Amino acid sequence: MADTTETARLLPWTSPDGKPCLLVGDGTGYVSRIADTMEEAQLCLAAELIEEAWRVLGERTWTSGELHLLAVQLTESLADVHRVAESQGARLPHPDDEGDGGPQLPAEAFG
């Protein structure tokens, strides 16, 4: 039998007034797929921005305006990546949840 437990998911966008948007569901619907696609795009953009930042900083020929723009873009990207991490982390199974929570360490590992 399929698990029909519904949880609230933090979406990778905010409302027009800047409030968090949440989706309640099992994670298989249309809006969930759009959110997955958007999160993937945000993470790819962050990776590209990191490469660009290393290039710009490595050249050591930047202006204060270029550094300011880079800082703004990195901050925006960091906020997006933080939201993705919060959203995905909230959907991970917790150790005290029932069911298979992934691999378990043997008791001997704790000395």
Side-chain angles (χ1 to χ4, degrees):
M1 175 178 245
D3 182 11
T4 59
T5 304
E6 293 186 354
T7 59
R9 174 184 180 171
L10 178 64
L11 294 172
W13 55 81
T14 59
S15 69
D17 56 347
K19 294 182 180 175
C21 291
L22 300 170
L23 174 67
V24 177
D26 63 3
T28 62
Y30 178 72
V31 175
S32 289
R33 291 191 302 275
I34 291 173
D36 290 342
T37 300
M38 187 169 177
E39 286 178 348
E40 182 179 355
Q42 289 172 327
L43 294 175
C44 288
L45 181 61
E48 291 172 10
L49 188 55
I50 290 167
E51 288 180 25
E52 177 68 7
W54 282 118
R55 186 190 63 73
V56 168
L57 295 174
E59 290 177 2
R60 297 182 185 268
T61 59
W62 23 258
T63 66
S64 60
E66 289 170 326
L67 283 180
H68 181 264
L69 177 60
L70 180 61
V72 168
Q73 291 174 330
L74 286 169
T75 302
E76 290 171 348
S77 184
L78 181 60
D80 289 343
V81 169
H82 183 261
R83 179 177 291 280
V84 170
E86 280 186 313
S87 177
Q88 291 185 4
R91 290 179 278 142
L92 291 174
H94 296 282
D96 57 342
D97 287 348
E98 291 184 26
D100 184 7
Q104 300 293 318
L105 293 174
E108 304 84 50
F110 298 104

